[in-house]
Amino acid sequence: MVPAATVPRLLGAGVWPRPLRPHLLQSATPGRARPGGRTLASAATPAVSEPEDSIDVSDKILSQPLKHSDFFNVKELFSVRSLFDARVHLGHKAGCRHRFMEPYIFGSRLGQDIIDLEQTAAHLQLALNFMAHVAYRKGIILFVGRNRQFSHLIETTARNCGEYAHTRYFKGGLLTNAPLLLGPMVRLPDLIIFLHTLNNVFEPHVAVRDAAKMHIPTVGVVDTNCNPCLITYPIPGNDDSPPSIHLFCRLFQTTINRAKQKRRQMEALYRLQGPEGLGARGQGLAASPSLGA
Amino acid sequence: MARSRLETVGSVFSRTRDLIRAGVLNEKPLWFDIYNAFPPLREPVFRRPRLRYGKAKAAIQDILYPEDRIRAFVEKYIELQKLGETDEEKLFVETGKALLAAGVILRRVEARTQKEGGHVSWESEPTGVKPQTVLEKNQPLQEVPQDQHLETSEEQPKGLSPP
């Protein structure tokens, strides 16, 4: 059954301050925490003795993944064929088409728009990579989706990743008026992932605009009737078919878990090595990005 | 925590970068370096969705296959047949005319049937038009018109039998 500690994280009207470590929220810097500062606070290892070494290690942990083009090897998780089999290429009818989705549409078959899967693959790779890096740096990820058919799936996906979900009615000032609605020292999400960009009345979800207001990057599955302008990393694809949403949820879950596991590996690696051998050995061992299958 | 809530001005990244440069935002957000290293294909700038006026149309083409041409002809043929017409020659001509009235898709087909005349040319005509690879896929489709005029045609469709 669900452990009691994780229940308030998912249910309710978007209650997502982490209840497990409330003391950290007051002690850490308000709002966004520094990457170095957060690593120091959350690692909590007694092996971190001198501040210079630990800062050096944390910088290495954070800067190294950015040097590889595909550090988490997200390319292997999907292919154009697998996207096609999951019916990601099916769009809405031509009358529902949004003007800004036209570049991503391959053509129209008997009135139904077909999304260009080559572009989708490129966008998906960028989005998964970004998501993985955010999870690697211990960012808070919020899954948003207002389609009631997949509400439970999105919540279970978030639970399996160890992240947050909000698939209910989105209250007005949840992001823009967070100190009032959620409490004084609340850390806002570092990434919002939209499984459905529209709400139940086929209007753009409020969180898209609010995330842009609050400088929060977004990843979103945009269908042919959605507006992809404000979404940082849009993924043109079908958001109505069950196979398609199941595929996206599976991909997101795998990516985030992979990134977190990689982070644990890197931290363990540098902790084991200690102050010596940070240079060559670290580079050699960390150069293999793919995890054991 | 400094933020500018102007989602219509630039992208999230450009606003954050400029706030950092101005010294208003002291600490870099978590995602800043990641965005720097892996920017998206299009910068997420706000655009106001404007309606298209006049005759401006979207640049999205229809996806049509060669078998759609055959489907259109077959459907029209059956439709005209249901109306009671029995003479095959007349049916061909009427179908061609009806499709020509509907659109210019079958003009080439229609012109060649009229030019050469008779169902002798009609059997060989699809093989002449379609490439070999498409023909193999079209075997089940072309069975339908074959069944239609097997009873009246004096020539067997040698060209269309499987190789």
Side-chain angles (χ1 to χ4, degrees), chain B residues 72-89:
Chain B
F73 189 93
V74 167
E75 276 177 25
K76 240 321 164 320
Y77 188 94
I78 295 175
E79 207 181 292
L80 290 173
Q81 209 179 39
K82 282 209 178 89
L83 295 173
E85 184 67 57
T86 43
D87 183 20
E88 225 188 68
E89 186 65 39

Side-chain angles (χ1 to χ4, degrees), chain A residues 32 38 68 97 99-100 102 107-109 123 129 133 137 176 209 212-215 217 229 232-233, chain B residues 3-5 7 12 15-16 27 30-31 34 38 40 42 44 47 50 52 58 61-63 68:
Chain A
R32 307 288 172 67
R38 198 171 48 253
H68 301 256
R97 191 190 302 149
R99 191 164 168 179
F100 297 149
E102 279 159 19
S108 161
R109 174 67 180 163
H123 282 90
N129 188 41
H133 280 279
R137 289 170 173 235
T176 46
R209 196 202 62 194
K213 275 187 187 286
M214 304 307 284
H215 295 206
C229 279
T232 324
Y233 291 88
Chain B
R3 283 186 193 98
S4 75
R5 297 188 175 197
E7 80 271 15
V12 192
R15 273 179 278 139
T16 324
E27 43 204 47
L30 202 146
W31 53 270
I34 315 173
F38 309 107
R42 175 200 167 256
R47 275 171 72 191
R50 298 255 179 233
R52 285 202 156 91
Q61 46 178 337
D62 278 333
I63 300 174
D68 291 332

Side-chain angles (χ1 to χ4, degrees), chain A residues 43-293:
Chain A
T45 49
V48 176
S49 46
E50 288 142 38
E52 299 89 33
D53 270 347
S54 51
I55 289 175
D56 188 37
V57 165
S58 63
D59 274 343
K60 259 206 163 44
I61 291 180
L62 293 172
S63 62
Q64 224 171 43
L66 295 179
K67 296 186 188 136
H68 301 256
S69 70
D70 195 3
F71 188 70
F72 302 99
N73 204 8
V74 294
K75 266 199 284 275
E76 64 164 18
L77 292 173
F78 65 94
S79 64
V80 175
R81 180 78 211 182
S82 68
L83 292 176
F84 180 81
D85 289 332
R87 304 188 228 151
V88 168
H89 61 290
L90 300 175
H92 287 275
K93 284 285 195 181
C96 299
R97 191 190 302 149
H98 192 99
R99 191 164 168 179
F100 297 149
M101 286 301 290
E102 279 159 19
Y104 306 119
I105 292 177
F106 180 75
S108 161
R109 174 67 180 163
L110 303 177
Q112 184 178 12
D113 287 336
I114 306 293
I115 298 169
D116 188 357
L117 284 181
E118 304 279 338
Q119 292 189 53
T120 302
H123 282 90
L124 186 58
Q125 203 251 316
L126 278 173
L128 288 177
N129 188 41
F130 187 82
M131 211 185 298
H133 280 279
V134 170
Y136 180 86
R137 289 170 173 235
K138 303 200 176 165
I140 293 184
I141 298 178
L142 180 68
F143 286 86
V144 172
R146 200 58 181 104
N147 193 334
R148 282 183 259 241
Q149 187 180 2
F150 306 110
S151 170
H152 179 74
L153 174 70
I154 297 172
E155 287 175 351
T156 40
T157 308
R159 171 182 296 158
N160 292 337
C161 302
E163 296 296 340
Y164 303 88
H166 185 101
T167 58
R168 314 288 164 167
Y169 176 73
F170 198 88
K171 242 172 160 180
L174 211 55
L175 290 173
T176 46
N177 204 2
L180 191 76
L181 279 123
L182 296 167
M185 293 284 190
V186 165
R187 191 176 144 193
L188 289 180
D190 300 299
L191 174 67
I192 298 184
I193 300 180
F194 287 93
L195 271 300
H196 304 95
T197 322
L198 303 177
N199 58 16
N200 285 335
V201 282
F202 300 103
E203 277 168 6
H205 201 288
V206 179
V208 175
R209 196 202 62 194
D210 282 356
K213 275 187 187 286
M214 304 307 284
H215 295 206
I216 300 171
T218 47
V219 165
V221 179
V222 279
D223 206 347
T224 49
N225 55 351
C226 306
N227 187 351
C229 279
L230 281 177
I231 298 177
T232 324
Y233 291 88
I235 304 171
N238 190 5
D239 65 358
D240 298 302
S241 303
S244 166
I245 292 289
H246 277 73
L247 174 80
F248 282 125
C249 283
R250 212 170 44 240
L251 285 174
F252 297 159
Q253 190 180 313
T254 318
T255 323
I256 293 173
N257 284 332
R258 200 180 261 206
K260 289 186 171 173
Q261 197 181 347
K262 190 75 192 171
R263 175 59 183 248
R264 285 194 290 271
Q265 272 184 0
M266 296 284 270
E267 279 183 347
L269 189 75
Y270 283 112
R271 213 179 317 132
L272 281 173
Q273 287 179 346
E276 29 74 25
L278 277 172
R281 243 188 103 208
Q283 297 288 337
L285 276 170
S288 55
S290 63
L291 308 174

Side-chain angles (χ1 to χ4, degrees), chain B residues 96-132:
Chain B
K97 276 196 214 155
L99 284 169
L100 189 63
V104 293
I105 310 165
L106 283 194
R107 179 173 286 161
R108 200 159 128 243
V109 172
E110 200 264 317
R112 280 180 64 164
T113 31
Q114 276 197 344
K115 205 184 354 164
E116 294 168 77
H119 36 260
V120 175
S121 62
W122 169 237
E123 259 91 277
S124 54
E125 188 270 334
T127 45
V129 170
K130 317 297 188 290
Q132 194 58 34

Side-chain angles (χ1 to χ4, degrees), chain B residues 87-160:
Chain B
D87 183 20
E88 225 188 68
E89 186 65 39
K90 251 183 148 178
L91 268 175
F92 281 138
V93 173
E94 288 305 312
T95 321
K97 276 196 214 155
L99 284 169
L100 189 63
V104 293
I105 310 165
L106 283 194
R107 179 173 286 161
R108 200 159 128 243
V109 172
E110 200 264 317
R112 280 180 64 164
T113 31
Q114 276 197 344
K115 205 184 354 164
E116 294 168 77
H119 36 260
V120 175
S121 62
W122 169 237
E123 259 91 277
S124 54
E125 188 270 334
T127 45
V129 170
K130 317 297 188 290
Q132 194 58 34
T133 47
V134 177
L135 237 194
E136 275 139 37
K137 272 189 288 185
N138 280 348
Q139 284 306 331
L141 274 168
Q142 283 170 344
E143 293 311 306
V144 179
Q146 290 313 309
D147 294 340
Q148 297 270 326
H149 37 263
L150 255 176
E151 53 271 51
T152 49
S153 71
E154 51 261 25
E155 268 197 12
Q156 288 307 307
K158 301 191 271 290
L160 289 168

